[in-house]
Amino acid sequence: MSEVRLIPLGVGEAFTASHYTTCLALGVDDAWLLIECPHPIRKMLREATTAAGLPFDLDRVEAIAVSHLHADHCSGLEDFGYYTYFALGRRARLAMHPDVSAKLWNGLLAAGMAEVQMEPDGPTIRKQLDDYFDLIALNTAGPVSVGPFTIECRRTIHPVPTTAFRIRAGGRTLAFSADTAFDPTLIDWLAPADLIVHEVTLIGHSGVHTPYEKLVALPADLRNKIRLIHYPDDFDLAASVIEPLYQGRSYVV
């Protein structure tokens, strides 16, 4: 059975001044799937994978799964699309639920990517989403294959359409909560995975995120499978009963 590796590229919440924002690389054999795509995605990827002793660049990325369109999770998509299109000569693959991707082009990317003018007096070339991206529609009704990865998704409790993921590869399953208020039914959905990456915040920041106190109160066998991400800068990593993820480390799923 192939070893499945997880490398956090970023671990912080939206307002972090100490970390990159939340992003993960999941690998099996020679294929890698990114979960989330903040800016600066290539720098994040280079720094974290080099630190983990498994350096690679975007040419090795099978696709990126994006949970929602808040900037701390998707601000690197323009870079990903342009780099893949111009430097690698192909379209970038994105895996998203249709509710999440509905405003991806007109609400986010079109301002910087819809018009291309190569010379000051030259013609303006009009582009569309599918010129740059191969959009893979995820489905809450069942798994979707993306290379050697199989992705399931489920809606979370968040102000914009957001999906959690269960991703299977190499006989192992990684669950990712995405951004969410505490939701016991989501915890139940994540629970069968071999490793659960769950967002966390402090009581003072709660409302649309999950307080640490809720996670630490879970049964020990479940809590032991959880790793924390998307934490605020004032979260006490050393005192946490649940193990936090760190940028640039390699974890076995």
Side-chain angles (χ1 to χ4, degrees):
M1 187 176 294
S2 300
E3 187 174 72
V4 181
R5 285 276 172 183
L6 179 71
I7 303 175
L9 311 187
V11 294
E13 63 159 15
F15 306 135
T16 180
S18 302
H19 312 285
Y20 291 125
T21 58
T22 293
C23 182
L24 299 165
L26 182 66
V28 60
D29 297 325
D30 292 325
W32 290 88
L33 177 79
L34 298 191
I35 303 169
E36 313 295 36
C37 187
H39 179 77
I41 188 60
R42 280 193 78 209
K43 186 173 189 292
M44 294 170 63
L45 186 61
R46 180 183 63 82
E47 290 181 3
T49 60
T50 299
L54 296 166
F56 67 94
D57 202 348
L58 286 176
D59 62 311
R60 296 266 302 281
V61 172
E62 187 77 27
I64 298 183
V66 178
S67 68
H68 67 296
L69 295 185
H70 280 155
D72 59 314
H73 294 257
C74 70
S75 57
L77 287 176
E78 181 179 307
D79 288 351
F80 177 51
Y82 270 146
Y83 181 81
T84 307
Y85 182 82
F86 288 109
L88 303 180
R90 63 176 190 250
R91 293 189 299 165
R93 303 182 78 200
L94 293 180
M96 305 171 72
H97 189 277
D99 289 349
V100 176
S101 64
K103 296 181 179 179
L104 176 63
W105 185 247
N106 291 329
L108 180 66
L109 296 176
M113 303 183 80
E115 297 181 353
V116 178
Q117 188 175 29
M118 304 305 293
E119 300 176 3
D121 298 322
T124 297
I125 301 170
R126 306 287 178 178
K127 297 285 189 179
Q128 297 295 327
L129 179 72
D130 59 8
D131 288 313
Y132 301 106
F133 296 98
D134 176 11
L135 188 60
I136 302 163
L138 301 180
N139 192 332
T140 55
V144 174
S145 294
V146 181
F149 305 94
T150 301
I151 307 176
E152 299 174 280
C153 68
R154 181 192 190 278
R155 284 291 293 266
T156 74
I157 303 171
H158 205 53
V160 299
T162 304
T163 58
F165 300 129
R166 286 192 310 215
I167 304 172
R168 187 162 182 81
R172 305 290 286 176
T173 300
L174 174 80
F176 175 67
S177 72
D179 284 11
T180 184
F182 180 68
D183 179 0
T185 67
L186 176 61
I187 296 291
D188 291 342
W189 187 83
L190 300 170
D194 298 292
L195 188 69
I196 301 166
V197 177
H198 203 293
E199 70 125 79
V200 69
T201 194
L202 301 172
I203 287 292
H205 304 277
S206 63
V208 295
H209 296 288
T210 298
Y212 170 76
E213 290 77 6
K214 294 289 188 180
L215 295 175
V216 82
L218 294 172
D221 58 339
L222 178 56
R223 191 175 64 231
N224 291 339
K225 292 200 293 184
I226 295 176
R227 301 294 180 268
L228 301 179
I229 203 166
H230 202 277
Y231 40 76
D233 290 350
D234 54 348
F235 184 76
D236 190 343
L237 300 174
S240 178
V241 173
I242 304 174
E243 183 179 345
L245 293 177
Y246 293 89
Q247 290 173 191
R249 295 189 186 178
S250 177
Y251 300 84
V252 177
V253 175

